[in-house]
Amino acid sequence: VTRQAWALRAAATWGDDARVRFLDAGTGRVRHGVRHGLGITSGAWSPRGAYVATGSSDGLLRIVDAATGFTFA
């Protein structure tokens, strides 16, 4: 894990392994994850903490619902 971000009761981690992991902030358990093709270089929570946007070395941007893991883009 090279980066992490927190929002409300959830946390997200991402890094060179090309995975975003969503964790329950209370237990630390992985709730779900999303995969990129190459290492993730950036990420940010939406203002209300509902979504995470991540960008990777392969040039893709993913927008993920933090509660469900559904990927919009």
Side-chain angles (χ1 to χ4, degrees):
V1 175
T2 54
R3 291 166 190 85
Q4 60 186 6
W6 298 84
L8 303 176
R9 297 231 355 116
T13 64
W14 56 83
D16 294 335
D17 67 353
R19 295 177 188 264
V20 181
R21 290 176 183 84
F22 291 90
L23 310 156
D24 181 288
T27 64
R29 292 187 179 178
V30 175
R31 291 166 37 183
H32 46 266
V34 175
R35 190 165 174 85
H36 271 273
L38 295 174
I40 299 167
T41 57
S42 60
W45 284 94
S46 65
R48 294 192 177 162
Y51 307 101
V52 170
T54 57
S56 68
S57 298
D58 59 8
L60 292 177
L61 168 72
R62 299 218 189 277
I63 300 172
V64 183
D65 184 310
T68 65
F70 179 79
T71 303
F72 293 94

